[in-house]
Amino acid sequence: SMLPLFLRGKVIKGFGRGSKDLGCPTANLPTESYEATIKDIPIGVFFGWANVKGIDSESVIHKMVMSVGWNPFYKNEKKTLEIHILNRYDRDFYGEQVNAIATGFIRPMCDFKSLEGLIKAINDDISYASEQLDTAEQQLFKSHQFFSHCC
Ligand code: ADP
Ligand code: MG
């Protein structure tokens, strides 16, 4: 199947659509090198693991929730990858390399009628992801060699 998805990329600026204001900053990754890989994955919300190189200690792999959407800048012909890491950082890390594995699918993308609806969905995604990632099967990915053979 399409998962797991192994992703490495240096964090780029997003569209500043206020995810930080919602308490949910998303580190945007470039998709250029993944276009073939992500072409067929549905837009929606995924979960998995992530490490920010040089910021997180090498052995600490965090839970993450990833959103795959359409990039309005490219007339919605290209996708965007945004990763919210379930960890509190004391500063931004634009330009730093994120290594991540998307291991599970949560739901397709949808439009929300209200900000409250969106915030509730984000919180539900995070708690669902966190529960799934606590399972033994998911925990195995934390010690995947992908995270230790980093470039
Ligand atoms: P942008 O539109 O530029 O992506 P965001 O509001 O989504 O702006 O904020 C994303 C930035 O916040 C990331 O690029 C990263 O530098 C920083 N950041 C801080 N904490 C986190 C976190 N826990 N997960 C993801 N990004 C974070
Ligand atoms: Mg973002």
Side-chain angles (χ1 to χ4, degrees), residues 11-21 24-28 82-89 91-94:
V11 179
I12 53 174
K13 264 277 181 197
F15 299 94
R17 281 180 295 201
S19 45
K20 212 176 258 171
D21 307 333
C24 185
T26 57
N28 294 48
E82 305 180 32
I83 296 179
H84 173 63
I85 303 174
L86 304 198
N87 180 56
R88 190 169 287 277
Y89 294 93
R91 64 172 183 89
D92 286 346
F93 44 87
Y94 290 108

PDB file of all heavy atoms in Angstrom, residues 11-21 24-28 82-89 91-94, ligand 1:
ATOM      1  N   VAL A  11      12.320  22.316   6.306  1.00  0.00           N
ATOM      2  CA  VAL A  11      11.068  23.037   6.546  1.00  0.00           C
ATOM      3  C   VAL A  11      11.019  24.350   5.764  1.00  0.00           C
ATOM      4  O   VAL A  11      11.950  25.161   5.830  1.00  0.00           O
ATOM      5  CB  VAL A  11      10.889  23.323   8.054  1.00  0.00           C
ATOM      6  CG1 VAL A  11       9.588  24.091   8.309  1.00  0.00           C
ATOM      7  CG2 VAL A  11      10.913  22.020   8.847  1.00  0.00           C
ATOM      8  N   ILE A  12       9.939  24.526   5.016  1.00  0.00           N
ATOM      9  CA  ILE A  12       9.738  25.749   4.247  1.00  0.00           C
ATOM     10  C   ILE A  12       8.590  26.563   4.861  1.00  0.00           C
ATOM     11  O   ILE A  12       7.835  26.058   5.686  1.00  0.00           O
ATOM     12  CB  ILE A  12       9.411  25.433   2.761  1.00  0.00           C
ATOM     13  CG1 ILE A  12       8.237  24.443   2.659  1.00  0.00           C
ATOM     14  CG2 ILE A  12      10.650  24.878   2.063  1.00  0.00           C
ATOM     15  CD1 ILE A  12       7.775  24.195   1.232  1.00  0.00           C
ATOM     16  N   LYS A  13       8.493  27.819   4.424  1.00  0.00           N
ATOM     17  CA  LYS A  13       7.399  28.687   4.855  1.00  0.00           C
ATOM     18  C   LYS A  13       6.093  28.188   4.258  1.00  0.00           C
ATOM     19  O   LYS A  13       6.051  27.815   3.089  1.00  0.00           O
ATOM     20  CB  LYS A  13       7.659  30.115   4.351  1.00  0.00           C
ATOM     21  CG  LYS A  13       8.334  31.001   5.382  1.00  0.00           C
ATOM     22  CD  LYS A  13       7.268  31.547   6.303  1.00  0.00           C
ATOM     23  CE  LYS A  13       7.806  32.472   7.376  1.00  0.00           C
ATOM     24  NZ  LYS A  13       6.803  32.629   8.459  1.00  0.00           N
ATOM     25  N   GLY A  14       5.044  28.187   5.063  1.00  0.00           N
ATOM     26  CA  GLY A  14       3.742  27.825   4.519  1.00  0.00           C
ATOM     27  C   GLY A  14       2.993  29.073   4.100  1.00  0.00           C
ATOM     28  O   GLY A  14       3.612  30.113   3.845  1.00  0.00           O
ATOM     29  N   PHE A  15       1.701  28.979   4.081  1.00  0.00           N
ATOM     30  CA  PHE A  15       0.902  30.120   3.646  1.00  0.00           C
ATOM     31  C   PHE A  15       0.456  30.968   4.823  1.00  0.00           C
ATOM     32  O   PHE A  15      -0.325  31.893   4.650  1.00  0.00           O
ATOM     33  CB  PHE A  15      -0.302  29.650   2.830  1.00  0.00           C
ATOM     34  CG  PHE A  15       0.110  28.912   1.598  1.00  0.00           C
ATOM     35  CD1 PHE A  15       0.218  27.528   1.600  1.00  0.00           C
ATOM     36  CD2 PHE A  15       0.436  29.612   0.443  1.00  0.00           C
ATOM     37  CE1 PHE A  15       0.632  26.850   0.469  1.00  0.00           C
ATOM     38  CE2 PHE A  15       0.850  28.944  -0.695  1.00  0.00           C
ATOM     39  CZ  PHE A  15       0.950  27.564  -0.689  1.00  0.00           C
ATOM     40  N   GLY A  16       0.950  30.615   6.026  1.00  0.00           N
ATOM     41  CA  GLY A  16       0.574  31.380   7.207  1.00  0.00           C
ATOM     42  C   GLY A  16      -0.931  31.448   7.372  1.00  0.00           C
ATOM     43  O   GLY A  16      -1.483  32.495   7.643  1.00  0.00           O
ATOM     44  N   ARG A  17      -1.566  30.295   7.166  1.00  0.00           N
ATOM     45  CA  ARG A  17      -3.023  30.289   7.278  1.00  0.00           C
ATOM     46  C   ARG A  17      -3.482  30.181   8.724  1.00  0.00           C
ATOM     47  O   ARG A  17      -4.568  29.705   9.009  1.00  0.00           O
ATOM     48  CB  ARG A  17      -3.619  29.160   6.431  1.00  0.00           C
ATOM     49  CG  ARG A  17      -3.682  29.547   4.965  1.00  0.00           C
ATOM     50  CD  ARG A  17      -4.267  28.454   4.119  1.00  0.00           C
ATOM     51  NE  ARG A  17      -3.422  27.283   4.104  1.00  0.00           N
ATOM     52  CZ  ARG A  17      -3.475  26.351   3.164  1.00  0.00           C
ATOM     53  NH1 ARG A  17      -4.336  26.437   2.185  1.00  0.00           N
ATOM     54  NH2 ARG A  17      -2.662  25.298   3.208  1.00  0.00           N
ATOM     55  N   GLY A  18      -2.568  30.584   9.613  1.00  0.00           N
ATOM     56  CA  GLY A  18      -2.968  30.708  11.005  1.00  0.00           C
ATOM     57  C   GLY A  18      -3.001  29.421  11.804  1.00  0.00           C
ATOM     58  O   GLY A  18      -3.649  29.359  12.833  1.00  0.00           O
ATOM     59  N   SER A  19      -2.297  28.384  11.315  1.00  0.00           N
ATOM     60  CA  SER A  19      -2.337  27.151  12.095  1.00  0.00           C
ATOM     61  C   SER A  19      -1.713  27.340  13.468  1.00  0.00           C
ATOM     62  O   SER A  19      -2.124  26.715  14.437  1.00  0.00           O
ATOM     63  CB  SER A  19      -1.667  26.008  11.340  1.00  0.00           C
ATOM     64  OG  SER A  19      -0.459  26.428  10.781  1.00  0.00           O
ATOM     65  N   LYS A  20      -0.735  28.249  13.521  1.00  0.00           N
ATOM     66  CA  LYS A  20      -0.099  28.524  14.815  1.00  0.00           C
ATOM     67  C   LYS A  20      -1.107  29.178  15.768  1.00  0.00           C
ATOM     68  O   LYS A  20      -1.125  28.885  16.959  1.00  0.00           O
ATOM     69  CB  LYS A  20       1.114  29.434  14.610  1.00  0.00           C
ATOM     70  CG  LYS A  20       2.228  29.185  15.596  1.00  0.00           C
ATOM     71  CD  LYS A  20       3.430  30.043  15.283  1.00  0.00           C
ATOM     72  CE  LYS A  20       4.511  29.264  14.576  1.00  0.00           C
ATOM     73  NZ  LYS A  20       5.590  30.119  14.070  1.00  0.00           N
ATOM     74  N   ASP A  21      -1.947  30.038  15.216  1.00  0.00           N
ATOM     75  CA  ASP A  21      -2.982  30.693  16.031  1.00  0.00           C
ATOM     76  C   ASP A  21      -3.979  29.676  16.577  1.00  0.00           C
ATOM     77  O   ASP A  21      -4.600  29.891  17.608  1.00  0.00           O
ATOM     78  CB  ASP A  21      -3.739  31.744  15.210  1.00  0.00           C
ATOM     79  CG  ASP A  21      -2.791  32.736  14.552  1.00  0.00           C
ATOM     80  OD1 ASP A  21      -1.687  32.936  15.109  1.00  0.00           O
ATOM     81  OD2 ASP A  21      -3.142  33.275  13.497  1.00  0.00           O
ATOM     82  N   CYS A  24      -1.769  24.916  16.577  1.00  0.00           N
ATOM     83  CA  CYS A  24      -1.365  23.742  15.826  1.00  0.00           C
ATOM     84  C   CYS A  24      -0.435  24.113  14.666  1.00  0.00           C
ATOM     85  O   CYS A  24      -0.820  24.031  13.500  1.00  0.00           O
ATOM     86  CB  CYS A  24      -2.626  23.053  15.303  1.00  0.00           C
ATOM     87  SG  CYS A  24      -2.292  21.512  14.481  1.00  0.00           S
ATOM     88  N   PRO A  25       0.805  24.557  14.999  1.00  0.00           N
ATOM     89  CA  PRO A  25       1.730  24.908  13.923  1.00  0.00           C
ATOM     90  C   PRO A  25       2.058  23.668  13.080  1.00  0.00           C
ATOM     91  O   PRO A  25       2.180  22.570  13.619  1.00  0.00           O
ATOM     92  CB  PRO A  25       2.975  25.400  14.666  1.00  0.00           C
ATOM     93  CG  PRO A  25       2.894  24.754  16.003  1.00  0.00           C
ATOM     94  CD  PRO A  25       1.427  24.642  16.323  1.00  0.00           C
ATOM     95  N   THR A  26       2.155  23.847  11.783  1.00  0.00           N
ATOM     96  CA  THR A  26       2.516  22.718  10.912  1.00  0.00           C
ATOM     97  C   THR A  26       3.790  23.047  10.159  1.00  0.00           C
ATOM     98  O   THR A  26       3.868  24.082   9.483  1.00  0.00           O
ATOM     99  CB  THR A  26       1.399  22.428   9.895  1.00  0.00           C
ATOM    100  OG1 THR A  26       1.139  23.603   9.122  1.00  0.00           O
ATOM    101  CG2 THR A  26       0.131  21.961  10.601  1.00  0.00           C
ATOM    102  N   ALA A  27       4.781  22.199  10.283  1.00  0.00           N
ATOM    103  CA  ALA A  27       6.025  22.352   9.540  1.00  0.00           C
ATOM    104  C   ALA A  27       5.772  21.867   8.113  1.00  0.00           C
ATOM    105  O   ALA A  27       5.469  20.696   7.890  1.00  0.00           O
ATOM    106  CB  ALA A  27       7.136  21.549  10.204  1.00  0.00           C
ATOM    107  N   ASN A  28       5.878  22.797   7.156  1.00  0.00           N
ATOM    108  CA  ASN A  28       5.620  22.450   5.762  1.00  0.00           C
ATOM    109  C   ASN A  28       6.883  21.892   5.116  1.00  0.00           C
ATOM    110  O   ASN A  28       7.962  22.457   5.266  1.00  0.00           O
ATOM    111  CB  ASN A  28       5.153  23.689   4.999  1.00  0.00           C
ATOM    112  CG  ASN A  28       3.799  24.194   5.477  1.00  0.00           C
ATOM    113  OD1 ASN A  28       3.576  24.333   6.678  1.00  0.00           O
ATOM    114  ND2 ASN A  28       2.900  24.464   4.556  1.00  0.00           N
ATOM    115  N   GLU A  82       2.144  18.946   5.393  1.00  0.00           N
ATOM    116  CA  GLU A  82       2.345  19.729   6.612  1.00  0.00           C
ATOM    117  C   GLU A  82       2.312  18.817   7.819  1.00  0.00           C
ATOM    118  O   GLU A  82       1.391  18.019   7.966  1.00  0.00           O
ATOM    119  CB  GLU A  82       1.223  20.766   6.780  1.00  0.00           C
ATOM    120  CG  GLU A  82       1.031  21.691   5.606  1.00  0.00           C
ATOM    121  CD  GLU A  82      -0.094  22.686   5.859  1.00  0.00           C
ATOM    122  OE1 GLU A  82      -0.304  23.070   7.027  1.00  0.00           O
ATOM    123  OE2 GLU A  82      -0.766  23.056   4.879  1.00  0.00           O
ATOM    124  N   ILE A  83       3.320  18.969   8.669  1.00  0.00           N
ATOM    125  CA  ILE A  83       3.446  18.074   9.820  1.00  0.00           C
ATOM    126  C   ILE A  83       3.352  18.836  11.137  1.00  0.00           C
ATOM    127  O   ILE A  83       4.138  19.754  11.387  1.00  0.00           O
ATOM    128  CB  ILE A  83       4.785  17.308   9.734  1.00  0.00           C
ATOM    129  CG1 ILE A  83       4.780  16.407   8.488  1.00  0.00           C
ATOM    130  CG2 ILE A  83       5.031  16.493  11.001  1.00  0.00           C
ATOM    131  CD1 ILE A  83       6.061  15.629   8.287  1.00  0.00           C
ATOM    132  N   HIS A  84       2.367  18.464  11.945  1.00  0.00           N
ATOM    133  CA  HIS A  84       2.285  19.011  13.307  1.00  0.00           C
ATOM    134  C   HIS A  84       2.912  17.984  14.248  1.00  0.00           C
ATOM    135  O   HIS A  84       2.407  16.860  14.371  1.00  0.00           O
ATOM    136  CB  HIS A  84       0.838  19.284  13.711  1.00  0.00           C
ATOM    137  CG  HIS A  84       0.700  19.681  15.152  1.00  0.00           C
ATOM    138  ND1 HIS A  84       1.271  20.834  15.664  1.00  0.00           N
ATOM    139  CD2 HIS A  84       0.102  19.061  16.197  1.00  0.00           C
ATOM    140  CE1 HIS A  84       1.015  20.908  16.956  1.00  0.00           C
ATOM    141  NE2 HIS A  84       0.305  19.845  17.312  1.00  0.00           N
ATOM    142  N   ILE A  85       4.024  18.368  14.875  1.00  0.00           N
ATOM    143  CA  ILE A  85       4.731  17.459  15.777  1.00  0.00           C
ATOM    144  C   ILE A  85       4.175  17.618  17.187  1.00  0.00           C
ATOM    145  O   ILE A  85       3.993  18.746  17.668  1.00  0.00           O
ATOM    146  CB  ILE A  85       6.258  17.736  15.740  1.00  0.00           C
ATOM    147  CG1 ILE A  85       6.760  17.602  14.298  1.00  0.00           C
ATOM    148  CG2 ILE A  85       7.002  16.787  16.673  1.00  0.00           C
ATOM    149  CD1 ILE A  85       8.218  17.982  14.103  1.00  0.00           C
ATOM    150  N   LEU A  86       3.876  16.498  17.826  1.00  0.00           N
ATOM    151  CA  LEU A  86       3.298  16.555  19.170  1.00  0.00           C
ATOM    152  C   LEU A  86       4.404  16.758  20.203  1.00  0.00           C
ATOM    153  O   LEU A  86       4.717  15.884  21.000  1.00  0.00           O
ATOM    154  CB  LEU A  86       2.501  15.279  19.486  1.00  0.00           C
ATOM    155  CG  LEU A  86       1.377  14.904  18.515  1.00  0.00           C
ATOM    156  CD1 LEU A  86       0.416  13.911  19.158  1.00  0.00           C
ATOM    157  CD2 LEU A  86       0.618  16.116  18.030  1.00  0.00           C
ATOM    158  N   ASN A  87       5.004  17.916  20.118  1.00  0.00           N
ATOM    159  CA  ASN A  87       6.051  18.308  21.052  1.00  0.00           C
ATOM    160  C   ASN A  87       6.073  19.835  21.093  1.00  0.00           C
ATOM    161  O   ASN A  87       5.756  20.480  20.103  1.00  0.00           O
ATOM    162  CB  ASN A  87       7.415  17.798  20.576  1.00  0.00           C
ATOM    163  CG  ASN A  87       8.535  18.170  21.517  1.00  0.00           C
ATOM    164  OD1 ASN A  87       8.484  17.859  22.709  1.00  0.00           O
ATOM    165  ND2 ASN A  87       9.542  18.857  21.013  1.00  0.00           N
ATOM    166  N   ARG A  88       6.416  20.382  22.231  1.00  0.00           N
ATOM    167  CA  ARG A  88       6.498  21.833  22.346  1.00  0.00           C
ATOM    168  C   ARG A  88       7.929  22.279  22.067  1.00  0.00           C
ATOM    169  O   ARG A  88       8.859  21.811  22.701  1.00  0.00           O
ATOM    170  CB  ARG A  88       6.050  22.254  23.752  1.00  0.00           C
ATOM    171  CG  ARG A  88       5.872  23.751  23.912  1.00  0.00           C
ATOM    172  CD  ARG A  88       5.173  24.074  25.222  1.00  0.00           C
ATOM    173  NE  ARG A  88       3.750  23.726  25.184  1.00  0.00           N
ATOM    174  CZ  ARG A  88       2.807  24.528  24.666  1.00  0.00           C
ATOM    175  NH1 ARG A  88       3.132  25.681  24.127  1.00  0.00           N
ATOM    176  NH2 ARG A  88       1.550  24.160  24.686  1.00  0.00           N
ATOM    177  N   TYR A  89       8.091  23.162  21.090  1.00  0.00           N
ATOM    178  CA  TYR A  89       9.417  23.706  20.776  1.00  0.00           C
ATOM    179  C   TYR A  89       9.456  25.153  21.227  1.00  0.00           C
ATOM    180  O   TYR A  89       8.461  25.858  21.130  1.00  0.00           O
ATOM    181  CB  TYR A  89       9.680  23.620  19.268  1.00  0.00           C
ATOM    182  CG  TYR A  89       9.786  22.200  18.769  1.00  0.00           C
ATOM    183  CD1 TYR A  89       8.671  21.535  18.274  1.00  0.00           C
ATOM    184  CD2 TYR A  89      10.991  21.510  18.828  1.00  0.00           C
ATOM    185  CE1 TYR A  89       8.745  20.216  17.835  1.00  0.00           C
ATOM    186  CE2 TYR A  89      11.086  20.196  18.392  1.00  0.00           C
ATOM    187  CZ  TYR A  89       9.957  19.555  17.901  1.00  0.00           C
ATOM    188  OH  TYR A  89      10.053  18.252  17.481  1.00  0.00           O
ATOM    189  N   ARG A  91      11.287  27.443  19.853  1.00  0.00           N
ATOM    190  CA  ARG A  91      11.469  28.370  18.733  1.00  0.00           C
ATOM    191  C   ARG A  91      11.079  27.703  17.422  1.00  0.00           C
ATOM    192  O   ARG A  91      10.928  26.483  17.357  1.00  0.00           O
ATOM    193  CB  ARG A  91      12.911  28.876  18.675  1.00  0.00           C
ATOM    194  CG  ARG A  91      13.954  27.788  18.406  1.00  0.00           C
ATOM    195  CD  ARG A  91      15.318  28.447  18.185  1.00  0.00           C
ATOM    196  NE  ARG A  91      16.364  27.472  17.859  1.00  0.00           N
ATOM    197  CZ  ARG A  91      16.647  27.088  16.621  1.00  0.00           C
ATOM    198  NH1 ARG A  91      15.941  27.522  15.592  1.00  0.00           N
ATOM    199  NH2 ARG A  91      17.628  26.231  16.399  1.00  0.00           N
ATOM    200  N   ASP A  92      10.924  28.535  16.390  1.00  0.00           N
ATOM    201  CA  ASP A  92      10.627  28.006  15.063  1.00  0.00           C
ATOM    202  C   ASP A  92      11.852  27.280  14.522  1.00  0.00           C
ATOM    203  O   ASP A  92      12.977  27.534  14.957  1.00  0.00           O
ATOM    204  CB  ASP A  92      10.267  29.158  14.104  1.00  0.00           C
ATOM    205  CG  ASP A  92       8.873  29.704  14.384  1.00  0.00           C
ATOM    206  OD1 ASP A  92       8.105  29.035  15.108  1.00  0.00           O
ATOM    207  OD2 ASP A  92       8.571  30.805  13.879  1.00  0.00           O
ATOM    208  N   PHE A  93      11.624  26.390  13.556  1.00  0.00           N
ATOM    209  CA  PHE A  93      12.765  25.681  12.968  1.00  0.00           C
ATOM    210  C   PHE A  93      12.674  25.633  11.446  1.00  0.00           C
ATOM    211  O   PHE A  93      12.926  24.609  10.819  1.00  0.00           O
ATOM    212  CB  PHE A  93      12.934  24.286  13.584  1.00  0.00           C
ATOM    213  CG  PHE A  93      11.652  23.506  13.744  1.00  0.00           C
ATOM    214  CD1 PHE A  93      11.167  22.730  12.695  1.00  0.00           C
ATOM    215  CD2 PHE A  93      10.953  23.538  14.933  1.00  0.00           C
ATOM    216  CE1 PHE A  93      10.006  22.003  12.829  1.00  0.00           C
ATOM    217  CE2 PHE A  93       9.772  22.817  15.078  1.00  0.00           C
ATOM    218  CZ  PHE A  93       9.295  22.047  14.034  1.00  0.00           C
ATOM    219  N   TYR A  94      12.346  26.775  10.868  1.00  0.00           N
ATOM    220  CA  TYR A  94      12.385  26.892   9.401  1.00  0.00           C
ATOM    221  C   TYR A  94      13.791  26.575   8.916  1.00  0.00           C
ATOM    222  O   TYR A  94      14.775  26.958   9.542  1.00  0.00           O
ATOM    223  CB  TYR A  94      12.003  28.314   8.963  1.00  0.00           C
ATOM    224  CG  TYR A  94      10.547  28.646   9.189  1.00  0.00           C
ATOM    225  CD1 TYR A  94      10.173  29.522  10.203  1.00  0.00           C
ATOM    226  CD2 TYR A  94       9.556  28.095   8.385  1.00  0.00           C
ATOM    227  CE1 TYR A  94       8.822  29.839  10.419  1.00  0.00           C
ATOM    228  CE2 TYR A  94       8.215  28.397   8.587  1.00  0.00           C
ATOM    229  CZ  TYR A  94       7.858  29.258   9.602  1.00  0.00           C
ATOM    230  OH  TYR A  94       6.536  29.566   9.802  1.00  0.00           O
TER     231      TYR A  94
HETATM  232  P1  ADP B   1       3.652  28.250   8.131  1.00  0.00           P
HETATM  233  O1  ADP B   1       2.420  28.699   7.388  1.00  0.00           O
HETATM  234  O2  ADP B   1       4.880  29.042   7.773  1.00  0.00           O
HETATM  235  O3  ADP B   1       3.872  26.779   7.997  1.00  0.00           O
HETATM  236  P2  ADP B   1       2.657  27.734  10.815  1.00  0.00           P
HETATM  237  O4  ADP B   1       1.707  28.627  11.560  1.00  0.00           O
HETATM  238  O5  ADP B   1       2.088  26.452  10.265  1.00  0.00           O
HETATM  239  O6  ADP B   1       3.331  28.610   9.670  1.00  0.00           O
HETATM  240  O7  ADP B   1       3.891  27.431  11.782  1.00  0.00           O
HETATM  241  C1  ADP B   1       4.818  26.472  11.353  1.00  0.00           C
HETATM  242  C2  ADP B   1       6.193  26.615  11.994  1.00  0.00           C
HETATM  243  O8  ADP B   1       6.112  26.553  13.409  1.00  0.00           O
HETATM  244  C3  ADP B   1       7.064  25.450  11.591  1.00  0.00           C
HETATM  245  O9  ADP B   1       7.699  25.683  10.330  1.00  0.00           O
HETATM  246  C4  ADP B   1       8.058  25.371  12.751  1.00  0.00           C
HETATM  247  O10 ADP B   1       9.182  26.180  12.449  1.00  0.00           O
HETATM  248  C5  ADP B   1       7.290  25.957  13.927  1.00  0.00           C
HETATM  249  N1  ADP B   1       6.854  24.967  14.923  1.00  0.00           N
HETATM  250  C6  ADP B   1       6.929  25.147  16.265  1.00  0.00           C
HETATM  251  N2  ADP B   1       6.455  24.105  16.937  1.00  0.00           N
HETATM  252  C7  ADP B   1       6.036  23.200  16.021  1.00  0.00           C
HETATM  253  C8  ADP B   1       5.438  21.896  16.124  1.00  0.00           C
HETATM  254  N3  ADP B   1       5.198  21.341  17.321  1.00  0.00           N
HETATM  255  N4  ADP B   1       5.140  21.243  14.975  1.00  0.00           N
HETATM  256  C9  ADP B   1       5.395  21.808  13.787  1.00  0.00           C
HETATM  257  N5  ADP B   1       5.950  23.039  13.616  1.00  0.00           N
HETATM  258  C10 ADP B   1       6.279  23.746  14.731  1.00  0.00           C
END
